[in-house]
Amino acid sequence: LFTIGISLRMFYLNRPMRYDEAFTFLEFGKSNIAYISMNYSYPNNHILHSILLRIFTILFGDQLWVIRLPAFTGGVLTLVFTFLLGRKWFGLKAGILGVALVVFSEMLIDYSVNARGYTLQTTLFLAVLFLTISNNNKNGRWILVAILHAIGFWLIPSYLFCFGIILFVNISKHGFQKQFVLILGLSFLLGFLLYLPVIAYMGKNAIINNPLVRVFDSMNYLQEFIENLISIYEHLTPGVGIVQGIVFG
């Protein structure tokens, strides 16, 4: 399954570049890291992804496959963490079924060869969720979770939704624990420090009130949210019956 998943993503690695990818590369991927870290004039700047994109193109050149390499890496790691999370949470068969769905997901294949930060965000979400459901309560694990949360916020501000889901899973599985306050405080503190260059250069509104980000009222947001959930489910589960038949025979 892993071989099929990687092969499918490699097959599309050199397809024609699209607008968002081109804009991200030309505006941020060709800029210096200081500029990337402080310029959030466009939400296209998924800061961590843009920095990785800059580093990769310096090291390996600006061929199309290199430009997409950070997203591709995130797509491959999504396969890995889907299996690890499914196996740890529900058992081996669940891990295999989860990977099978991700391998053939049109949406996840698309994002794996789209030079944006979404697959890295998915990888961070799965990795933190994997750490969250562990029964290991050592402080080092909680600090690592907080650091990964902060990196997720720095990657894309919409990681806030991932944070909320993970917090809900934490409380559901372990009950409310004092470590949650530590995670919450440390995550937002580190995230704030990572965004300090943006705040200093452009002000806080570049992040929390960007003019290019559409704002919904509560009712329209709820409707859009439900419609997006349905759309995501439909994209993530094509041929789910066939996959179940293969896995569970």
Side-chain angles (χ1 to χ4, degrees):
L1 281 174
F2 283 108
T3 302
I4 295 171
I6 294 171
S7 299
L8 280 172
R9 286 148 180 78
M10 289 181 66
F11 179 78
Y12 292 104
L13 200 53
N14 283 306
R15 71 180 182 182
M17 181 175 280
R18 290 163 292 179
Y19 175 82
D20 275 354
E21 295 180 284
F23 183 88
T24 298
F25 173 63
L26 293 174
E27 179 67 21
F28 302 109
K30 295 176 72 70
S31 304
N32 62 67
I33 292 176
Y35 176 84
I36 296 170
S37 301
M38 65 176 60
N39 189 333
Y40 202 72
S41 53
Y42 295 95
N44 283 63
N45 187 17
H46 299 167
I47 295 177
L48 176 59
H49 171 268
S50 297
I51 290 173
L52 292 174
L53 172 57
R54 178 60 179 159
I55 292 171
F56 281 20
T57 52
I58 289 173
L59 294 175
F60 306 117
D62 59 359
Q63 296 95 333
L64 186 53
W65 70 270
V66 177
I67 293 171
R68 288 171 170 161
L69 194 54
F72 177 81
T73 302
V76 172
L77 289 175
T78 295
L79 294 171
V80 175
F81 280 106
T82 297
F83 172 73
L84 293 176
L85 180 62
R87 184 182 65 175
K88 187 173 185 64
W89 206 340
F90 299 109
L92 180 60
K93 287 186 176 180
I96 296 172
L97 176 59
V99 172
L101 292 173
V102 171
V103 162
F104 297 107
S105 168
E106 177 187 349
M107 178 183 287
L108 294 177
I109 292 172
D110 178 68
Y111 279 125
S112 296
V113 292
N114 185 352
R116 314 287 280 110
Y118 299 115
T119 56
L120 295 174
Q121 184 184 52
T122 304
T123 296
L124 278 171
F125 170 68
L126 293 172
V128 175
L129 199 54
F130 176 78
L131 292 171
T132 291
I133 65 172
S134 171
N135 292 321
N136 182 354
N137 288 316
K138 292 182 179 178
N139 288 334
R141 180 174 72 94
W142 296 111
I143 293 173
L144 176 59
V145 166
I147 292 171
L148 292 176
H149 277 318
I151 293 173
F153 291 133
W154 193 42
L155 174 64
I156 310 176
S158 62
Y159 183 83
L160 183 64
F161 293 102
C162 301
F163 180 85
I165 293 170
I166 292 168
L167 185 61
F168 174 78
V169 171
N170 260 303
I171 295 173
S172 299
K173 185 171 179 60
H174 302 294
F176 187 84
Q177 298 180 1
K178 63 180 181 180
Q179 290 96 330
F180 296 162
V181 179
L182 170 65
I183 292 174
L184 186 66
L186 188 57
S187 299
F188 282 103
L189 174 61
L190 293 175
F192 173 76
L193 292 175
L194 289 171
Y195 272 111
L196 265 182
V198 173
I199 296 171
Y201 181 62
M202 304 195 67
K204 68 181 187 304
N205 283 339
I207 303 169
I208 64 175
N209 193 27
N210 194 295
L212 297 177
V213 176
R214 185 168 50 153
V215 178
F216 291 100
D217 60 45
S218 57
M219 290 305 298
N220 286 334
Y221 174 80
L222 181 60
Q223 179 182 353
E224 187 87 3
F225 181 73
I226 293 172
E227 290 175 357
N228 283 336
L229 281 181
I230 294 171
S231 176
I232 290 170
Y233 174 80
E234 290 173 348
H235 277 87
L236 289 178
T237 56
V240 63
I242 297 174
V243 174
Q244 287 177 327
I246 293 173
V247 174
F248 297 105

